[in-house]
Amino acid sequence: MFAIEQEKRSRYNFLSLFSGAGGLDIGFEKAGFLHTQSSDILAYAVKTMKHNRPKWDVLNCDVREYSPCVRKEIDVLLAGFPCQGFSLGGNRDEDDNRNTLYKEVVRIAGEVQPRVVVMENVLNLRTMRHPITRKPFAEQIASEMAAIGYTTKFDFFRVSHFGAPQTRRRFIFIAYKGDSLKHFRFPLPEKETPIRDFLYDLGQGGGLGLPNHNPEWGFDSFVHTENGGTFDKTAIAVPVRLSRTASEGNPIRSFDQPFPAVDTATVWGWALGHVQATRVQKDRRDKTAMFVRNPESTAKLWRISADHIRSFTVREYARLQTFPDDWEFLGGNKRELQLQVGNAVPVAFAKRIALRVREALEVSDGLRKPMFQDKEQLLLFDV
């Protein structure tokens, strides 16, 4: 079973806002942190969390009406606040009402006074400007955290260098009281993570019986051609992009490279037997023009031909987001499942951030001692 190693329990806990399906929460759990409470506005995401962690306290609520009801001091506050207003995949609208939800993180941090606040979002926070102050949102958030006594560090990461087999980039804020964790350093990048160990077995018929994994060959498409040849047991199914056919990159993906960023819109799948990808000039005036996003474009479109084609299962998307195989997603339809997976923080990446937070706390509490490897990076070792 695909899983991420569990660290020994620590003395530290976390409280989670905008928890979604639990990517950040699981990452911190696997780094040894103890759960106190999670919350999200989406009922189906809350059902997923409660189903997988029935002993966890998970609330279905609007963060604007939420005040944590926990009796213990909080070490880490997690907040993957909505990114749709900032993301290039969305409208990137500086006036999007969701863009102000970070203020709820600041409010709750002021109420709870956690030792550390971890916020996650998209890369565009570096450049997109606050509609009133005109500061980049990253600087605006840091200034509002400073107003309640927190020092903020932020950086961006390509998660394929941190254990997740995709090129998705994420923006991380670490805020701490005063200079209490000035020795904190973000993790260093590792060798890129290819998809082979995450997807290959499922594409070749493995994993039957896993939650959210019901592979069915056959893909109804106006665009791609399924030839319906006899299944060849020696043929290898390859991952392919089935939507966004005007994209520049070849839709047939290598097992020995990371995957493109998983999102909630792009459709990926498998092609088996006599697989070919060609680019054609599309007549956008014909009756299928309604399926083309930009009828005026002259870009050539990718067309896939294979004996058999199928779309990814939810489990295959979850593998790319490094969710453990026993984490089952619940929802009323496929879209609700895809939204939970696509909007999540990759668990392996979350764990690497969590381990650095844990190490910094342990140094601060005298449980570890710091040692400089060079001028740029602080490594942490057991006493």
Side-chain angles (χ1 to χ4, degrees):
M1 176 179 290
F2 173 75
I4 296 173
E5 284 189 19
Q6 183 88 30
E7 303 290 328
K8 292 182 179 179
R9 280 194 170 191
S10 72
R11 60 193 286 179
Y12 305 111
N13 62 33
F14 70 90
L15 173 74
S16 175
L17 311 175
F18 310 100
S19 304
L24 267 175
D25 298 53
I26 306 170
F28 271 74
E29 178 193 45
K30 289 190 174 298
F33 284 81
L34 305 176
H35 178 269
T36 61
Q37 193 172 73
S38 297
S39 65
D40 198 88
I41 197 171
L42 298 176
Y44 53 82
V46 170
K47 288 181 181 179
T48 290
M49 291 274 279
K50 288 183 174 181
H51 174 73
N52 290 281
R53 292 292 183 270
K55 294 183 179 180
W56 281 11
D57 182 11
V58 186
L59 304 180
N60 180 201
C61 64
D62 187 328
V63 70
R64 292 166 292 192
E65 302 171 357
Y66 171 69
S67 289
C69 48
V70 290
R71 297 181 179 178
K72 55 185 71 175
E73 293 184 356
I74 299 300
D75 295 303
V76 181
L77 175 64
L78 303 179
F81 56 95
C83 66
Q84 288 87 348
F86 304 112
S87 174
L88 289 177
N91 294 324
R92 203 168 188 261
D93 179 4
E94 65 182 20
D95 295 315
D96 190 312
N97 290 334
R98 292 168 293 188
N99 294 353
T100 62
L101 288 176
Y102 75 85
K103 289 182 174 291
E104 301 303 323
V105 184
V106 178
R107 173 183 65 81
I108 291 170
E111 291 179 8
V112 178
Q113 291 290 303
R115 296 180 68 182
V116 187
V117 180
V118 179
M119 289 182 273
E120 176 271 343
N121 212 272
V122 296
L123 194 59
N124 293 328
L125 264 71
R126 295 183 306 165
T127 55
M128 190 168 169
R129 294 186 178 275
H130 190 280
I132 298 175
T133 67
R134 304 314 299 169
K135 291 181 181 179
F137 266 97
E139 294 180 14
Q140 180 65 29
I141 292 170
S143 67
E144 293 187 36
M145 290 300 296
I148 62 170
Y150 285 80
T151 299
T152 302
K153 295 179 180 179
F154 52 77
D155 207 344
F156 65 93
F157 304 84
R158 178 165 155 147
V159 300
S160 57
H161 289 291
F162 300 89
Q166 55 169 305
T167 59
R168 189 177 199 174
R169 296 185 296 176
R170 307 311 293 169
F171 199 82
I172 298 292
F173 297 81
I174 302 291
Y176 48 86
K177 291 183 177 180
D179 63 355
S180 60
L181 293 187
K182 62 183 179 181
H183 54 277
F184 172 84
R185 296 294 186 274
F186 285 111
L188 285 172
E190 309 159 9
K191 185 178 179 181
E192 281 205 305
T193 307
I195 65 172
R196 183 176 294 276
D197 291 342
F198 296 81
L199 279 188
Y200 184 89
D201 62 323
L202 300 184
Q204 315 317 316
L208 296 179
L210 289 177
N212 306 118
H213 185 59
N214 52 340
E216 296 182 359
W217 289 98
F219 188 74
D220 187 14
S221 174
F222 288 96
V223 175
H224 307 298
T225 301
E226 191 173 35
N227 301 316
T230 303
F231 271 96
D232 182 352
K233 293 182 179 180
T234 65
I236 295 175
V238 294
V240 294
R241 185 181 62 245
L242 298 173
S243 66
R244 299 191 175 179
T245 56
S247 300
E248 289 298 323
N250 192 301
I252 302 175
R253 307 303 304 181
S254 167
F255 287 109
D256 298 317
Q257 295 178 346
F259 217 67
V262 171
D263 56 37
T264 61
T266 309
V267 178
W268 294 89
W270 295 96
L272 174 68
H274 303 98
V275 181
Q276 292 184 333
T278 56
R279 298 198 81 171
V280 301
Q281 189 69 51
K282 176 66 177 174
D283 180 0
R284 296 167 187 258
R285 296 168 299 177
D286 67 17
K287 63 182 179 181
T288 61
M290 70 183 74
F291 300 102
V292 178
R293 180 174 296 179
N294 182 5
E296 304 303 319
S297 172
T298 59
K300 289 185 177 181
L301 306 180
W302 286 104
R303 297 290 184 256
I304 294 170
S305 172
D307 290 340
H308 303 280
I309 301 174
R310 72 167 175 85
S311 57
F312 274 3
T313 66
V314 172
R315 178 54 46 198
E316 287 161 341
Y317 286 116
R319 282 273 187 98
L320 292 170
Q321 290 280 58
T322 61
F323 278 93
D325 273 349
D326 60 358
W327 193 266
E328 184 174 6
F329 298 87
L330 303 183
N333 52 57
K334 189 174 182 179
R335 181 61 178 163
E336 291 181 352
L337 301 178
Q338 289 177 329
L339 285 172
Q340 291 178 72
V341 178
N343 287 332
V345 179
V347 174
F349 172 61
K351 181 183 175 183
R352 281 161 171 77
I353 296 295
L355 285 173
R356 278 304 172 92
V357 172
R358 175 178 174 175
E359 290 165 351
L361 288 169
E362 289 174 345
V363 168
S364 182
D365 293 342
L367 303 176
R368 287 176 178 250
K369 60 182 179 181
M371 179 181 294
F372 281 99
Q373 182 187 44
D374 54 43
K375 292 182 180 179
E376 299 297 326
Q377 186 65 27
L378 181 67
L379 297 182
L380 303 160
F381 296 92
D382 288 319
V383 174

